[in-house]
mmCIF file of all heavy atoms in Angstrom:
data_model
loop_
_atom_site.group_PDB
_atom_site.id
_atom_site.type_symbol
_atom_site.label_atom_id
_atom_site.label_comp_id
_atom_site.label_asym_id
_atom_site.label_seq_id
_atom_site.Cartn_x
_atom_site.Cartn_y
_atom_site.Cartn_z
ATOM 1 N N HIS A 269 -3.711 97.067 42.721
ATOM 2 C CA HIS A 269 -4.462 98.312 42.447
ATOM 3 C C HIS A 269 -5.670 98.443 43.345
ATOM 4 O O HIS A 269 -6.012 99.570 43.766
ATOM 5 C CB HIS A 269 -4.880 98.349 40.949
ATOM 6 C CG HIS A 269 -3.731 98.477 40.021
ATOM 7 N ND1 HIS A 269 -2.913 99.552 39.910
ATOM 8 C CD2 HIS A 269 -3.189 97.566 39.112
ATOM 9 C CE1 HIS A 269 -1.978 99.464 39.034
ATOM 10 N NE2 HIS A 269 -2.120 98.178 38.525
ATOM 11 N N ASP A 270 -6.339 97.383 43.541
ATOM 12 C CA ASP A 270 -7.530 97.450 44.419
ATOM 13 C C ASP A 270 -7.379 96.390 45.499
ATOM 14 O O ASP A 270 -7.596 95.206 45.293
ATOM 15 C CB ASP A 270 -8.810 97.147 43.562
ATOM 16 C CG ASP A 270 -10.069 97.467 44.305
ATOM 17 O OD1 ASP A 270 -9.939 97.732 45.533
ATOM 18 O OD2 ASP A 270 -11.128 97.434 43.698
ATOM 19 N N LYS A 271 -7.028 96.792 46.702
ATOM 20 C CA LYS A 271 -6.649 95.881 47.781
ATOM 21 C C LYS A 271 -7.890 95.290 48.490
ATOM 22 O O LYS A 271 -7.717 94.317 49.185
ATOM 23 C CB LYS A 271 -5.795 96.644 48.821
ATOM 24 C CG LYS A 271 -4.520 97.197 48.232
ATOM 25 C CD LYS A 271 -3.777 97.973 49.291
ATOM 26 C CE LYS A 271 -2.533 98.617 48.740
ATOM 27 N NZ LYS A 271 -1.809 99.378 49.713
ATOM 28 N N ASN A 272 -9.024 95.814 48.268
ATOM 29 C CA ASN A 272 -10.182 95.396 48.978
ATOM 30 C C ASN A 272 -11.052 94.352 48.246
ATOM 31 O O ASN A 272 -11.660 93.507 48.843
ATOM 32 C CB ASN A 272 -11.041 96.581 49.370
ATOM 33 C CG ASN A 272 -10.270 97.556 50.280
ATOM 34 O OD1 ASN A 272 -9.490 97.116 51.120
ATOM 35 N ND2 ASN A 272 -10.524 98.833 50.086
ATOM 36 N N LYS A 273 -11.095 94.433 46.912
ATOM 37 C CA LYS A 273 -12.055 93.588 46.163
ATOM 38 C C LYS A 273 -11.417 92.372 45.606
ATOM 39 O O LYS A 273 -11.968 91.252 45.665
ATOM 40 C CB LYS A 273 -12.617 94.446 44.997
ATOM 41 C CG LYS A 273 -13.539 95.588 45.476
ATOM 42 C CD LYS A 273 -14.087 96.297 44.271
ATOM 43 C CE LYS A 273 -15.015 97.425 44.684
ATOM 44 N NZ LYS A 273 -15.615 98.125 43.529
ATOM 45 N N HIS A 274 -10.247 92.486 45.011
ATOM 46 C CA HIS A 274 -9.695 91.350 44.230
ATOM 47 C C HIS A 274 -8.402 90.762 44.845
ATOM 48 O O HIS A 274 -7.682 90.141 44.120
ATOM 49 C CB HIS A 274 -9.361 91.840 42.821
ATOM 50 C CG HIS A 274 -10.520 92.484 42.116
ATOM 51 N ND1 HIS A 274 -11.549 91.730 41.590
ATOM 52 C CD2 HIS A 274 -10.781 93.756 41.865
ATOM 53 C CE1 HIS A 274 -12.435 92.523 41.035
ATOM 54 N NE2 HIS A 274 -11.999 93.828 41.218
ATOM 55 N N ARG A 275 -8.160 91.014 46.112
ATOM 56 C CA ARG A 275 -6.961 90.550 46.689
ATOM 57 C C ARG A 275 -7.153 89.077 47.239
ATOM 58 O O ARG A 275 -8.172 88.854 47.908
ATOM 59 C CB ARG A 275 -6.510 91.479 47.845
ATOM 60 C CG ARG A 275 -5.070 91.195 48.262
ATOM 61 C CD ARG A 275 -4.611 92.281 49.172
ATOM 62 N NE ARG A 275 -3.185 92.112 49.405
ATOM 63 C CZ ARG A 275 -2.318 93.054 49.311
ATOM 64 N NH1 ARG A 275 -2.675 94.260 48.963
ATOM 65 N NH2 ARG A 275 -1.035 92.829 49.525
ATOM 66 N N PRO A 276 -6.209 88.158 46.974
ATOM 67 C CA PRO A 276 -6.375 86.814 47.565
ATOM 68 C C PRO A 276 -6.296 86.855 49.101
ATOM 69 O O PRO A 276 -5.794 87.817 49.706
ATOM 70 C CB PRO A 276 -5.185 86.045 47.036
ATOM 71 C CG PRO A 276 -4.758 86.802 45.806
ATOM 72 C CD PRO A 276 -5.108 88.230 46.114
ATOM 73 N N LYS A 277 -6.795 85.819 49.716
ATOM 74 C CA LYS A 277 -6.884 85.778 51.165
ATOM 75 C C LYS A 277 -5.494 85.818 51.792
ATOM 76 O O LYS A 277 -5.275 86.435 52.808
ATOM 77 C CB LYS A 277 -7.626 84.550 51.633
ATOM 78 C CG LYS A 277 -9.116 84.580 51.309
ATOM 79 C CD LYS A 277 -9.817 83.319 51.845
ATOM 80 C CE LYS A 277 -11.255 83.344 51.530
ATOM 81 N NZ LYS A 277 -11.964 82.157 52.017
ATOM 82 N N ARG A 278 -4.548 85.055 51.210
ATOM 83 C CA ARG A 278 -3.252 84.995 51.850
ATOM 84 C C ARG A 278 -2.436 86.284 51.657
ATOM 85 O O ARG A 278 -1.367 86.450 52.316
ATOM 86 C CB ARG A 278 -2.421 83.848 51.210
ATOM 87 C CG ARG A 278 -2.047 84.033 49.751
ATOM 88 C CD ARG A 278 -1.343 82.794 49.244
ATOM 89 N NE ARG A 278 -0.860 82.958 47.918
ATOM 90 C CZ ARG A 278 0.309 83.508 47.574
ATOM 91 N NH1 ARG A 278 1.069 83.978 48.538
ATOM 92 N NH2 ARG A 278 0.685 83.630 46.340
ATOM 93 N N LEU A 279 -2.907 87.208 50.843
ATOM 94 C CA LEU A 279 -2.237 88.491 50.640
ATOM 95 C C LEU A 279 -2.981 89.634 51.308
ATOM 96 O O LEU A 279 -2.542 90.794 51.206
ATOM 97 C CB LEU A 279 -2.090 88.836 49.168
ATOM 98 C CG LEU A 279 -1.214 87.862 48.360
ATOM 99 C CD1 LEU A 279 -1.199 88.297 46.878
ATOM 100 C CD2 LEU A 279 0.272 87.888 48.873
ATOM 101 N N ARG A 280 -4.118 89.361 51.928
ATOM 102 C CA ARG A 280 -4.835 90.454 52.604
ATOM 103 C C ARG A 280 -4.100 90.880 53.863
ATOM 104 O O ARG A 280 -3.476 90.040 54.545
ATOM 105 C CB ARG A 280 -6.235 89.964 52.990
ATOM 106 C CG ARG A 280 -7.130 89.811 51.772
ATOM 107 C CD ARG A 280 -8.457 89.271 52.165
ATOM 108 N NE ARG A 280 -9.286 89.007 50.974
ATOM 109 C CZ ARG A 280 -10.476 88.471 50.961
ATOM 110 N NH1 ARG A 280 -10.989 88.092 52.146
ATOM 111 N NH2 ARG A 280 -11.118 88.273 49.860
ATOM 112 N N GLY A 281 -4.190 92.182 54.162
ATOM 113 C CA GLY A 281 -3.462 92.745 55.315
ATOM 114 C C GLY A 281 -2.021 92.905 55.093
ATOM 115 O O GLY A 281 -1.297 93.082 56.031
ATOM 116 N N ARG A 282 -1.612 92.925 53.837
ATOM 117 C CA ARG A 282 -0.163 92.994 53.534
ATOM 118 C C ARG A 282 0.012 94.113 52.476
ATOM 119 O O ARG A 282 -0.591 94.058 51.424
ATOM 120 C CB ARG A 282 0.332 91.679 52.985
ATOM 121 C CG ARG A 282 1.792 91.686 52.656
ATOM 122 C CD ARG A 282 2.145 90.258 52.171
ATOM 123 N NE ARG A 282 3.502 90.188 51.644
ATOM 124 C CZ ARG A 282 4.044 89.136 51.031
ATOM 125 N NH1 ARG A 282 3.257 88.054 50.920
ATOM 126 N NH2 ARG A 282 5.244 89.140 50.595
ATOM 127 N N ASN A 283 0.797 95.043 52.833
ATOM 128 C CA ASN A 283 1.018 96.179 51.919
ATOM 129 C C ASN A 283 2.393 96.010 51.206
ATOM 130 O O ASN A 283 3.431 96.103 51.867
ATOM 131 C CB ASN A 283 0.977 97.491 52.702
ATOM 132 C CG ASN A 283 0.996 98.704 51.762
ATOM 133 O OD1 ASN A 283 0.964 98.570 50.560
ATOM 134 N ND2 ASN A 283 1.050 99.894 52.365
ATOM 135 N N GLU A 284 2.331 95.757 49.885
ATOM 136 C CA GLU A 284 3.572 95.593 49.166
ATOM 137 C C GLU A 284 4.357 96.878 48.985
ATOM 138 O O GLU A 284 5.561 96.845 48.786
ATOM 139 C CB GLU A 284 3.277 94.950 47.788
ATOM 140 C CG GLU A 284 2.617 93.550 47.873
ATOM 141 C CD GLU A 284 3.586 92.509 48.352
ATOM 142 O OE1 GLU A 284 4.806 92.772 48.261
ATOM 143 O OE2 GLU A 284 3.120 91.445 48.794
ATOM 144 N N LEU A 285 3.647 97.981 48.975
ATOM 145 C CA LEU A 285 4.295 99.262 48.730
ATOM 146 C C LEU A 285 4.543 100.031 50.027
ATOM 147 O O LEU A 285 4.783 101.238 49.970
ATOM 148 C CB LEU A 285 3.405 100.110 47.806
ATOM 149 C CG LEU A 285 3.097 99.498 46.424
ATOM 150 C CD1 LEU A 285 2.130 100.365 45.657
ATOM 151 C CD2 LEU A 285 4.354 99.279 45.639
ATOM 152 N N GLY A 286 4.462 99.297 51.173
ATOM 153 C CA GLY A 286 4.645 100.051 52.404
ATOM 154 C C GLY A 286 6.047 100.614 52.585
ATOM 155 O O GLY A 286 6.234 101.738 53.065
ATOM 156 N N ARG A 287 7.073 99.893 52.159
ATOM 157 C CA ARG A 287 8.412 100.311 52.283
ATOM 158 C C ARG A 287 8.659 101.575 51.444
ATOM 159 O O ARG A 287 9.317 102.532 51.829
ATOM 160 C CB ARG A 287 9.443 99.234 51.911
ATOM 161 C CG ARG A 287 9.351 98.014 52.840
ATOM 162 C CD ARG A 287 10.342 96.957 52.414
ATOM 163 N NE ARG A 287 11.716 97.450 52.474
ATOM 164 C CZ ARG A 287 12.783 96.732 52.086
ATOM 165 N NH1 ARG A 287 12.580 95.530 51.601
ATOM 166 N NH2 ARG A 287 13.980 97.221 52.160
ATOM 167 N N LEU A 288 8.123 101.523 50.206
ATOM 168 C CA LEU A 288 8.290 102.684 49.300
ATOM 169 C C LEU A 288 7.533 103.885 49.869
ATOM 170 O O LEU A 288 8.048 105.012 49.819
ATOM 171 C CB LEU A 288 7.733 102.322 47.933
ATOM 172 C CG LEU A 288 7.832 103.457 46.889
ATOM 173 C CD1 LEU A 288 9.302 103.841 46.656
ATOM 174 C CD2 LEU A 288 7.206 102.992 45.561
ATOM 175 N N GLU A 289 6.355 103.647 50.443
ATOM 176 C CA GLU A 289 5.633 104.807 51.023
ATOM 177 C C GLU A 289 6.395 105.395 52.212
ATOM 178 O O GLU A 289 6.453 106.646 52.398
ATOM 179 C CB GLU A 289 4.240 104.324 51.486
ATOM 180 C CG GLU A 289 3.322 103.962 50.300
ATOM 181 C CD GLU A 289 2.006 103.378 50.762
ATOM 182 O OE1 GLU A 289 1.848 103.255 51.972
ATOM 183 O OE2 GLU A 289 1.154 103.130 49.917
ATOM 184 N N ARG A 290 6.928 104.511 53.058
ATOM 185 C CA ARG A 290 7.644 105.056 54.201
ATOM 186 C C ARG A 290 8.904 105.800 53.799
ATOM 187 O O ARG A 290 9.235 106.870 54.367
ATOM 188 C CB ARG A 290 8.066 103.841 55.145
ATOM 189 C CG ARG A 290 6.882 103.274 55.897
ATOM 190 C CD ARG A 290 7.389 102.368 57.014
ATOM 191 N NE ARG A 290 8.097 101.163 56.514
ATOM 192 C CZ ARG A 290 7.509 100.037 56.244
ATOM 193 N NH1 ARG A 290 6.183 99.909 56.339
ATOM 194 N NH2 ARG A 290 8.209 99.041 55.714
ATOM 195 N N TRP A 291 9.572 105.307 52.777
ATOM 196 C CA TRP A 291 10.762 106.019 52.274
ATOM 197 C C TRP A 291 10.388 107.383 51.713
ATOM 198 O O TRP A 291 11.073 108.386 51.956
ATOM 199 C CB TRP A 291 11.456 105.166 51.196
ATOM 200 C CG TRP A 291 12.667 105.820 50.631
ATOM 201 C CD1 TRP A 291 13.896 105.783 51.210
ATOM 202 C CD2 TRP A 291 12.777 106.552 49.470
ATOM 203 N NE1 TRP A 291 14.802 106.458 50.425
ATOM 204 C CE2 TRP A 291 14.109 106.979 49.318
ATOM 205 C CE3 TRP A 291 11.889 106.933 48.471
ATOM 206 C CZ2 TRP A 291 14.566 107.762 48.255
ATOM 207 C CZ3 TRP A 291 12.304 107.700 47.423
ATOM 208 C CH2 TRP A 291 13.632 108.090 47.298
ATOM 209 N N GLU A 292 9.299 107.463 50.973
ATOM 210 C CA GLU A 292 8.829 108.742 50.454
ATOM 211 C C GLU A 292 8.433 109.695 51.537
ATOM 212 O O GLU A 292 8.747 110.885 51.508
ATOM 213 C CB GLU A 292 7.632 108.487 49.522
ATOM 214 C CG GLU A 292 7.995 107.786 48.176
ATOM 215 C CD GLU A 292 6.785 107.585 47.335
ATOM 216 O OE1 GLU A 292 5.647 107.776 47.841
ATOM 217 O OE2 GLU A 292 6.973 107.161 46.177
ATOM 218 N N ARG A 293 7.828 109.150 52.568
ATOM 219 C CA ARG A 293 7.451 110.034 53.719
ATOM 220 C C ARG A 293 8.659 110.587 54.412
ATOM 221 O O ARG A 293 8.697 111.717 54.839
ATOM 222 C CB ARG A 293 6.557 109.258 54.690
ATOM 223 C CG ARG A 293 5.163 108.983 54.121
ATOM 224 C CD ARG A 293 4.282 108.353 55.157
ATOM 225 N NE ARG A 293 4.038 109.289 56.247
ATOM 226 C CZ ARG A 293 3.405 108.985 57.373
ATOM 227 N NH1 ARG A 293 2.961 107.752 57.529
ATOM 228 N NH2 ARG A 293 3.205 109.840 58.302
#
Side-chain angles (χ1 to χ4, degrees):
H269 293 292
D270 192 351
K271 301 178 183 178
N272 297 325
K273 293 183 180 180
H274 306 285
R275 195 169 188 131
K277 291 183 180 180
R278 67 184 185 84
L279 295 178
R280 289 178 185 175
R282 181 179 172 186
N283 189 4
E284 298 289 342
L285 302 176
R287 296 180 63 183
L288 181 60
E289 292 176 357
R290 287 194 295 272
W291 181 81
E292 290 178 352
R293 289 186 65 187

